[in-house]
Amino acid sequence: MSSVSIRVTKIENIDGWIKIYLIYKNNSKKTIKYATFRYSAINAVGDPIGESYNLRFTGPLKPGGTDYGNWEDLWPNYRFHHLKLEKALIEYMDGTEELIDGNLINSKGACYVATAVYGSYDCPQVWTLRRYRDNSLSKSVYGRAFIKIYYKTSPFFVRVFGNSKWFNCLGRNVLDRIVKKLNEKGFENTQYNDFE
């Protein structure tokens, strides 16, 4: 396991520019002083959009702790498809540093469709769906394949249809039924931390 995990919890279009919300966890046994994550934005054909950005968290963050942050006006929305984590520089309170390749970091994306439909990443319905993703879907080969496909395709659908009334009505009807069944199977709708 990498010394840090990070998740994109939400991506918004603010006046034609991308705003992202991140949460990260300290998996190490040392206190983090600074954590800098370098992200690039990728367009639909797989090429970078503009420059990469260093998104920095300021500690101290103790072992097992989590921190949140958001950044806006990073990349133009009209060409945006997904984010790529390139690397992270972790600086510890004891003066040591660790440079980690982005491919080695547990880095997950947001529940794009559910967040768009319910208007929040933190609400009972999305907490249920996130629990199901982490505690059931991610445990099987087919489930992990579904998650991978979902994170590749859902940003496109949200970007194109996210503000459409029909999309939100249809999505909510479908998701409400799924959430109800998951609640009946024991997946709780209480507050959920992705790194539990």
Side-chain angles (χ1 to χ4, degrees):
M1 176 186 287
S2 171
S3 58
V4 292
S5 302
I6 191 161
R7 177 183 291 280
V8 179
T9 61
K10 188 175 181 182
I11 298 175
E12 289 183 323
N13 175 9
I14 306 293
D15 296 325
W17 292 85
I18 291 299
K19 179 176 183 178
I20 64 172
Y21 298 78
L22 302 173
I23 174 176
Y24 89 104
K25 180 178 180 181
N26 181 0
N27 298 324
S28 75
K29 295 181 179 180
K30 300 191 286 186
T31 299
I32 293 176
K33 184 176 183 180
Y34 296 107
T36 306
F37 297 92
R38 188 165 186 83
Y39 275 97
S40 58
I42 307 299
N43 64 21
V45 295
D47 292 329
I49 301 170
E51 60 185 291
S52 299
Y53 287 98
N54 290 322
L55 309 180
R56 190 175 204 199
F57 291 88
T58 301
L61 185 66
K62 295 182 178 179
T66 58
D67 196 7
Y68 306 79
N70 63 76
W71 291 263
E72 58 185 49
D73 297 336
L74 299 175
W75 300 281
N77 182 64
Y78 69 93
R79 295 191 302 167
F80 177 84
H81 185 265
H82 67 277
L83 289 174
K84 179 182 178 185
L85 176 59
E86 296 178 3
K87 60 185 174 181
L89 175 63
I90 310 301
E91 302 170 63
Y92 297 100
M93 293 296 286
D94 65 6
T96 60
E97 294 182 352
E98 183 179 9
L99 184 64
I100 311 170
D101 184 286
N103 295 320
L104 303 178
I105 298 172
N106 177 14
S107 174
K108 297 181 180 178
C111 292
Y112 299 101
V113 174
T115 300
V117 166
Y118 291 112
S120 173
Y121 186 70
D122 285 309
C123 66
Q125 298 92 333
V126 179
W127 290 331
T128 299
L129 293 167
R130 286 158 53 193
R131 271 194 177 87
Y132 176 63
R133 175 200 63 204
D134 292 346
N135 299 316
S136 182
L137 276 181
S138 66
K139 306 297 182 187
S140 73
V141 172
Y142 295 114
R144 288 191 295 273
F146 172 81
I147 292 169
K148 189 172 184 179
I149 292 168
Y150 174 83
Y151 285 132
K152 282 191 175 292
T153 60
S154 59
F156 168 78
F157 288 104
V158 169
R159 189 171 68 251
V160 174
F161 304 113
N163 293 323
S164 303
K165 190 173 182 180
W166 69 266
F167 176 83
N168 286 288
C169 286
L170 176 63
R172 192 172 190 112
N173 287 336
V174 171
L175 288 175
D176 280 346
R177 288 197 295 272
I178 293 171
V179 167
K180 183 179 178 185
K181 287 183 180 180
L182 290 175
N183 290 153
E184 290 169 354
K185 289 183 177 181
F187 291 93
E188 297 180 7
N189 63 359
T190 54
Q191 188 166 3
Y192 180 65
N193 182 335
D194 289 325
F195 297 118
E196 287 177 349

